[in-house]
Amino acid sequence: MASGGDPKWQKDAADQNFDYMFKLLIIGNSSVGKTSFLFRYADDSFTSAFVSTVGIDFKVKTVFRHDKRVKLQIWDTAGQERYRTITTAYYRGAMGFILMYDVTNEDSFNSVQDWVTQIKTYSWDNAQVILVGNKCDMEDQRVISFERGRQLADQLGVEFFETSAKENVNVKAVFERLVDIICDKMSESLDADPTLVGGGQKGQRLTDQPQGTPNANCNC
Amino acid sequence: MDFQNRNNTANKFVCPSDRQLALRAKLKAGWSSSKSSEPLRPEEQEAIISVIRRNEEIEVAERQRVGRLVERVEKIKQHAVERGPNCCRLCGDTFGILRPQRILCEDCRQSVCAKCSVDINIRYHTSERTREIWLCRICSETREMWKKSGAWFFKGLPKYDMPRSASATPIPNPGLPGSMAGDAIRAVSVQSCHATPTRPARVKKLTIRVNDSSSSSSGHSDPEDEVDAGNGLSVGGANGDVAKGMSSGRLQREDSFRLRAYGSIRSFIDGGERKLSNSFFFGRQQSQRPSECPEYDSVSMSKLRRESSFLRRGSVSSSWSISDSSGSGSGNSGNSQSQSQFQQHQQQQQHCRDPLLGWLEIAISYREAFHSLDCTMMRARDLPAMDSSGLTDPYCKLNIITPEAHTKYTRWQRTKTVHKTRNPEFNETLQFVGVEPEELGNSLLYVALFDDDKYGHDFLGAAKVCLSTVHSTSQYRISVPLGVEDQYSNAAEMAQNWPNGKMLLSLCYNTKRRALVVNVKQCINLMAMDNNGSSDPFVKIQLKPDAHKNKKHKTSVKWRTLNPIYNEEFYFEASPHDLNKEMLILTVWDKDLGKSNDFLGSLQLGAQSKGDRLQQWLDCIRLPDHFHEKWHCLAPENPAH
């Protein structure tokens, strides 16, 4: 929120010189380090002071990937339950999710399944997810082993990283990987299956919904 | 407040699907059930609203960006000529042997020339292999637009603002910054889970508003109306749009089509232009009874149905005649056919999908006593030209196709070749013996026409005649249009015996070195000349008459093989202009030590060639710096003698 007046942000946000725009969402329990993660990536800054995110926030960053400029709008969500209704509203537009837990916090790891359910409920079917175990620099307080994280990711069929926003470990890699996955998905959906240019069955499901209204007034 | 209540208020945005409900029911932790009712504090609201405002700026910019993308594609479409199947969809060039090569766009299945198309490499993620496909510029740009706008993800274009008409068409937009923020506040304060602002619009339905008054017979619809229809088609599907559609008094009728997103994006992007292209098919259908045109493939029929809605708007009434006459005009420019004759045929040819392939006249009679089917090839007309003087050496190949879709005879019957004409008089009767009377009811006579040439027989056209109308008493005479290649014509060509084998040749004109690059790739099925049942083949290449005094070239000798692979490149200095007069002569020889080499076969390529050879030669000049690869048959004559 404070970043609203940040001149760098303004420059990035207003920049129209890009090819693709991807919207990404970072979710996970409260205090797993979502905001720190985003700040590390977008501004390369870190503060250990904990300030709970109010509702929702986002940052914009343009990256260069495979000869294409990709503008990322990265949404940082509040982990607290009281904002849940606001945050879930933004799931719809997100192409990729960074699902984060804290390797020093068992609860946050156990909630991953719930978050996946949330994604399945509110997001588009082909949204891409990466599981991230944050705070991997705090080895002495670690309760979730890398192996457990990896197993869960395998189970969910998503990719897995352990990161540290504080030590800047793997932060960039996570975003780059997510962009790659989405790019792959994009070329796959269009090139390998041109019928999708017109939308496949998945899109159909949603079109069924509002049909009743116009038909009521149709006199043909 | 909770989902139950929301459902009852008939807000269609909120209505969750069964799947959503099922998933929610599984949530024992119950974020939705154990909702804290504590409202947001004012400073929290303010913070959230400021974020939403910031997002709003991005959304507006994004809508404009998508609008520019859409506009770009639309502009390309506006420049498309759409003259018909024998002309490039974009630039309107007619195809033919001496004209641009026809390329079929992978997406729209329309013909375009090489200039107006792009070849892209497609990667299959499953098998890690790539495939090259051709797309016309419209379709490749459309794909790009789908990628860049995010439509690939949402399966439909997101909301967008067209750059120029943004002011002219004020949409009662739920997405205006002011109202948006207002909505958001409300949404936040009631803790609704559907603060809609960033919800991306997606293809919900396609509403086509049809102005049913067909008063616009002048051929131009009121521009304001046009714009409005465009908006109605917008895939946004936001409730504001729909509401407007229903309240607008100007619209006498609202037809809503739920099309797959494919249809919607296509038809709405092409907007007005599309109706022209498809009225091509429609106009055809109007000109005769539908039962007379069984040849429409399902694609064009479905298009037709879809586009019929456009036709009702009345602004396209005369489009068929326009595209028709222009098509015939340009089709005519390349040959010496007289205009009047052409138009006369055109009347008949309208139900033929590819009118320029020509026309064949057959007489069939059946002699029950001998179980013999006599097929007389009378004449053919307007066959495609195969050489540079616009002439052809046609002959026919015939077979009978059984109900199981097999050819009845392994040996194809063929007529004699009639030389140097596009309107041959065959007058030749071929007999099929052993045709049972009951077979007639469900068999087809298949006739394929080829161009006779030393170095390969090129397909001219093919026709199928249903034999159920053939009686033993009288002769059945019919004039049939010639269609495109299919599996039977390929089989007919394969039945041809080429004792001297074939050669795969790749040609490229290199503009940097100003030279013709000849790549001799490989040969197959060469003749065996040595006692060991094999040969030791090599290829000699020369250019004649050679303006630049290039020397003759030779490939290496491949020992003891009938299927040598060379892959060797040779450069012949020549200007593109020279190439129009020169001839590339390739001869294949069997290397013998101690005695003279044996001749295995020859191939000549140049502007004097015919069919595929001429095509490759011309492609090579027309599209320089690209390799053009083709298989050719080897002839038994030695051109040096």
Side-chain angles (χ1 to χ4, degrees), chain B residues 300-430:
Chain B
S300 59
M301 279 310 270
S302 66
K303 267 192 209 157
L304 196 156
R305 273 195 291 276
R306 204 184 302 146
E307 302 306 318
S308 63
S309 57
F310 282 110
L311 270 175
R312 263 188 273 167
R313 298 186 51 215
S315 56
V316 290
S317 48
S318 60
S319 56
W320 163 245
S321 55
I322 293 166
S323 58
D324 196 3
S325 57
S326 58
S328 69
S330 58
N332 224 354
S333 58
N335 55 54
S336 54
Q337 199 68 28
S338 82
Q339 181 85 19
S340 61
Q341 196 186 348
F342 190 88
Q343 277 174 350
Q344 177 201 333
H345 293 322
Q346 189 137 27
Q347 285 291 314
Q348 304 165 295
Q349 286 171 2
Q350 274 182 12
H351 75 276
C352 165
R353 200 176 316 154
D354 212 345
L356 287 192
L357 284 184
W359 207 253
L360 177 71
E361 210 177 309
I362 312 173
I364 308 171
S365 60
Y366 184 68
R367 284 180 293 162
E368 202 160 358
F370 303 97
H371 284 195
S372 144
L373 189 74
D374 299 345
C375 306
T376 309
M377 298 296 113
M378 310 290 288
R379 59 187 65 86
R381 286 196 303 264
D382 302 336
L383 296 176
M386 277 292 154
D387 64 15
S388 47
S389 51
L391 296 173
T392 299
D393 303 308
Y395 69 90
C396 308
K397 278 195 150 186
L398 287 77
N399 210 329
I400 291 182
I401 296 171
T402 60
E404 297 83 42
H406 295 306
T407 48
K408 184 174 163 72
Y409 300 94
T410 44
R411 198 182 137 255
W412 287 72
Q413 306 243 30
R414 71 160 278 185
T415 64
K416 291 194 187 71
T417 304
V418 180
H419 287 282
K420 300 255 173 251
T421 174
R422 289 178 59 213
N423 302 301
E425 296 275 343
F426 294 111
N427 283 329
E428 191 173 338
T429 305
L430 299 166

Side-chain angles (χ1 to χ4, degrees), chain B residues 240-299:
Chain B
D241 268 357
V242 178
K244 188 201 176 196
M246 289 189 285
S247 61
S248 173
R250 181 149 39 105
L251 308 166
Q252 295 163 355
R253 176 166 168 180
E254 182 175 272
D255 287 0
S256 77
F257 292 80
R258 279 196 315 114
L259 298 176
R260 295 195 322 140
Y262 183 73
S264 54
I265 174 141
R266 287 278 155 109
S267 44
F268 107 84
I269 293 170
D270 323 48
E273 167 268 337
R274 174 104 177 158
K275 56 204 174 197
L276 245 177
S277 71
N278 285 284
S279 61
F280 177 80
F281 293 97
F282 197 75
R284 263 184 192 177
Q285 203 203 12
Q286 280 181 323
S287 64
Q288 54 192 128
R289 288 194 305 279
S291 60
E292 285 179 335
C293 52
E295 291 191 11
Y296 291 116
D297 48 18
S298 58
V299 177

Side-chain angles (χ1 to χ4, degrees), chain B residues 381-563:
Chain B
R381 286 196 303 264
D382 302 336
L383 296 176
M386 277 292 154
D387 64 15
S388 47
S389 51
L391 296 173
T392 299
D393 303 308
Y395 69 90
C396 308
K397 278 195 150 186
L398 287 77
N399 210 329
I400 291 182
I401 296 171
T402 60
E404 297 83 42
H406 295 306
T407 48
K408 184 174 163 72
Y409 300 94
T410 44
R411 198 182 137 255
W412 287 72
Q413 306 243 30
R414 71 160 278 185
T415 64
K416 291 194 187 71
T417 304
V418 180
H419 287 282
K420 300 255 173 251
T421 174
R422 289 178 59 213
N423 302 301
E425 296 275 343
F426 294 111
N427 283 329
E428 191 173 338
T429 305
L430 299 166
Q431 277 182 10
F432 288 101
V433 187
V435 180
E436 306 296 327
E438 54 270 24
E439 263 184 281
L440 287 178
N442 44 23
S443 292
L444 296 169
L445 172 69
Y446 188 88
V447 186
L449 276 83
F450 291 94
D451 172 61
D452 195 359
D453 187 38
K454 273 194 286 195
Y455 307 104
H457 293 183
D458 295 291
F459 177 81
L460 294 170
K464 288 182 200 142
V465 183
C466 188
L467 295 175
S468 56
T469 39
V470 175
H471 300 292
S472 51
T473 47
S474 64
Q475 200 183 41
Y476 171 62
R477 288 183 76 127
I478 183 174
S479 207
V480 285
L482 292 171
V484 293
E485 264 176 299
D486 56 22
Q487 83 247 33
Y488 303 114
S489 57
N490 291 335
E493 202 189 343
M494 295 306 274
Q496 191 74 33
N497 192 18
W498 291 100
N500 290 62
K502 291 188 167 193
M503 178 190 288
L504 181 62
L505 188 69
S506 191
L507 296 179
C508 167
Y509 186 77
N510 189 322
T511 47
K512 276 211 187 91
R513 294 184 56 170
R514 293 184 63 79
L516 177 73
V517 187
V518 180
N519 187 334
V520 180
K521 296 240 162 184
Q522 57 168 312
C523 299
I524 55 165
N525 298 334
L526 295 176
M527 285 191 299
M529 279 301 186
D530 296 347
N531 293 335
N532 53 19
S534 188
S535 290
D536 309 308
F538 68 97
V539 183
K540 287 186 191 169
I541 307 126
Q542 58 173 316
L543 201 61
K544 265 186 178 176
D546 192 352
H548 287 81
K549 301 277 176 268
N550 288 299
K551 68 181 183 115
K552 296 174 190 172
H553 290 278
K554 249 191 256 184
T555 68
S556 58
V557 179
K558 300 289 168 193
W559 299 98
R560 296 191 63 170
T561 176
L562 297 180
N563 304 302

Side-chain angles (χ1 to χ4, degrees), chain A residues 1 3-4 9-10 13 16 18-23 29 54-60 68 71 73 75 81-86 88-90 92-96 111 114-115 117-118 120-128 182-211 213-215 217-220, chain B residues 3 12-17 19-20 23-24 27 29-32 34-36 38-41 43-44 47-48 50-52 54-55 57-59 61-62 65 68 106-107 120-125 131 142-144 146-150 152-155 188 191-200 202-205 242 246 252-256 258-263 265-266:
Chain A
M1 291 119 278
S3 56
W9 175 84
Q10 295 223 319
Q16 285 289 295
F18 58 90
D19 297 302
Y20 307 135
M21 176 147 164
F22 293 165
K23 293 185 182 181
N29 274 15
V54 177
I56 195 138
D57 189 15
F58 70 86
K59 281 188 175 289
V60 175
K68 298 281 184 206
K71 183 169 169 176
Q73 188 186 20
W75 288 87
E81 248 182 73
R82 60 190 301 254
Y83 300 110
R84 194 75 24 99
T85 47
I86 303 165
T88 48
Y90 289 86
R92 259 289 172 219
M95 296 178 177
S111 305
D114 288 340
W115 287 108
T117 315
Q118 289 283 297
K120 282 191 180 144
T121 311
Y122 294 109
S123 78
W124 278 87
D125 287 352
N126 48 2
Q128 302 299 310
I182 295 172
C183 281
D184 276 2
K185 191 80 190 167
M186 172 163 66
S187 50
E188 192 181 349
S189 65
L190 280 176
D191 293 344
D193 181 14
T195 54
L196 206 117
V197 175
Q201 299 77 8
K202 285 175 188 168
Q204 201 83 46
R205 171 177 65 86
L206 295 151
T207 62
D208 294 342
Q209 217 173 316
Q211 210 219 336
T213 327
N215 269 10
N217 288 17
C218 181
N219 51 8
C220 58
Chain B
F3 291 112
K12 59 178 182 288
F13 273 117
V14 182
C15 177
S17 68
R19 193 188 65 131
Q20 283 182 332
L23 284 166
R24 277 175 202 166
L27 294 176
W31 284 331
S32 50
S34 70
K35 197 176 301 290
S36 64
E38 183 195 339
L40 292 176
R41 291 190 302 276
E43 65 267 26
E44 288 176 329
I48 291 170
S50 83
V51 173
I52 290 171
R54 272 201 296 139
N55 180 46
E57 289 169 28
I58 292 193
E59 296 271 306
E62 181 66 5
R65 187 180 71 99
R68 283 196 297 273
E106 187 83 6
D107 277 4
I120 62 168
N121 264 314
I122 282 196
R123 191 151 54 98
Y124 285 106
H125 288 245
R131 183 171 72 108
T142 307
R143 278 195 185 198
E144 270 305 295
W146 270 67
K147 283 184 180 177
K148 289 185 172 177
S149 65
W152 67 273
F153 182 81
F154 301 112
K155 313 243 159 64
V188 168
Q191 289 259 327
S192 148
C193 84
H194 289 278
T196 45
T198 56
R199 167 182 293 268
R202 52 183 194 265
V203 186
K204 295 223 158 156
K205 70 182 188 67
V242 178
M246 289 189 285
Q252 295 163 355
R253 176 166 168 180
E254 182 175 272
D255 287 0
S256 77
R258 279 196 315 114
L259 298 176
R260 295 195 322 140
Y262 183 73
I265 174 141
R266 287 278 155 109

Side-chain angles (χ1 to χ4, degrees), chain B residues 116-166:
Chain B
C116 303
S117 53
V118 197
D119 55 334
I120 62 168
N121 264 314
I122 282 196
R123 191 151 54 98
Y124 285 106
H125 288 245
T126 43
S127 58
E128 286 302 319
R129 83 198 152 87
T130 61
R131 183 171 72 108
E132 203 174 71
I133 62 163
W134 286 88
L135 289 177
C136 69
R137 264 187 70 217
I138 292 179
C139 291
S140 68
E141 288 288 339
T142 307
R143 278 195 185 198
E144 270 305 295
M145 182 185 72
W146 270 67
K147 283 184 180 177
K148 289 185 172 177
S149 65
W152 67 273
F153 182 81
F154 301 112
K155 313 243 159 64
L157 276 181
K159 250 186 285 183
Y160 64 87
D161 300 332
M162 285 300 269
R164 50 180 173 180
S165 59

